[in-house]
């Protein structure tokens, strides 16, 4: 019987060390709980979307509050501060992140609202005229000022191009829109298109 070559012996030793190391207990692998609050201008469209996003997407986010307020920009930021303080006092837990989400619309206080959000340590998310622009960006890039109804027409036309959705009619506040966008839209492209628009 012959001996194994030296390279083969070294390979077996290396494999044994790697197997032993793999069996060792992993350290600090628990998911971090991130508590966040999202306060939206819209009372249902945006909250419905974000609730589905949190429920259906794997992420490290484990706790969240999404609140629809129906307020304009600066008033929304001020209300977000009130909501945050109240919830943190009740739960005795701080939020890690606070977002305010609104449409740009024709509010005169748009830039002021963004600055106010930043002063409060909040993140601001907005769409030009309508949140439906975000939905549309899942399908196409659009860099033109159009009305809210035109966003919806374009969105319907894009979705109708997919088999089984030929008769699609957009319904405001539809809780199923998130799942539809995930199934036939492209979220990665939507993010890239939104960054380009910004």
């Amino acid at each position: 019987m012959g001996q194994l070559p030296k390279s083969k012996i070294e390979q077996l030793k290396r494999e044994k060390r790697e197997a032993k190391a793999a069996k060792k207990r992993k350290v600090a692998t628990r998911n971090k709980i991130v508590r966040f609050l999202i306060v939206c201008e819209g009372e249902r469209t945006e909250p419905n979307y974000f609730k589905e996003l949190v429920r259906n997407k794997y992420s490290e986010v484990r706790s969240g509050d999404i609140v629809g307020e129906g307020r304009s920009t600066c008033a929304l930021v001020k209300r977000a501060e009130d909501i945050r303080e109240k919830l943190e006092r009740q739960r005795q837990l701080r939020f890690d992140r606070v977002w305010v989400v609104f449409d740009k619309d024709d509010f005169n206080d748009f830039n002021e609202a963004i600055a106010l959000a930043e002063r409060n340590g909040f993140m601001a998310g907005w769409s030009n005229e309508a949140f439906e622009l975000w939905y549309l960006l899942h399908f196409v890039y659009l860099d033109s000022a159009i009305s809210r109804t035109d966003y919806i027409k374009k969105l319907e036309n894009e979705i109708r191009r997919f088999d089984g959705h030929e008769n699609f009619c957009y319904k405001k506040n539809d809780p199923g829109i998130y799942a539809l966008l995930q199934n036939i839209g492209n979220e990665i492209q939507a993010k890239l298109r939104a960054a380009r628009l910004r």
Side-chain angles (χ1 to χ4, degrees), residues 14 19 27 32 54 70 85 87 91 100 111 122 128 142 147 154 161 168 170 189:
R14 187 174 47 251
V27 179
K32 179 181 177 187
V54 171
E85 287 176 6
L87 290 175
R91 299 174 181 174
V100 288
N111 291 332
F122 300 166
N128 290 326
L142 180 69
S147 72
K154 286 186 173 294
R161 294 172 42 181
F168 175 80
Y170 176 74
Q189 283 299 313

Side-chain angles (χ1 to χ4, degrees), residues 72-90:
S72 64
T73 48
C74 277
L76 181 71
V77 176
K78 292 172 185 170
R79 180 68 180 130
E81 178 64 25
D82 295 340
I83 292 168
R84 184 189 69 152
E85 287 176 6
K86 177 183 172 191
L87 290 175
E88 287 180 346
R89 199 172 35 254
Q90 284 176 349

Side-chain angles (χ1 to χ4, degrees), residues 42-81:
E43 294 180 58
R44 291 175 49 198
T45 301
E46 294 90 339
N48 285 345
Y49 178 85
F50 289 117
K51 285 175 185 173
E52 289 301 310
L53 174 71
V54 171
R55 181 177 26 237
N56 291 324
K57 192 153 214 91
Y58 172 80
S59 73
E60 291 185 355
V61 172
R62 296 290 180 256
S63 177
D65 286 286
I66 295 106
V67 180
E69 279 294 304
R71 294 173 183 253
S72 64
T73 48
C74 277
L76 181 71
V77 176
K78 292 172 185 170
R79 180 68 180 130
E81 178 64 25

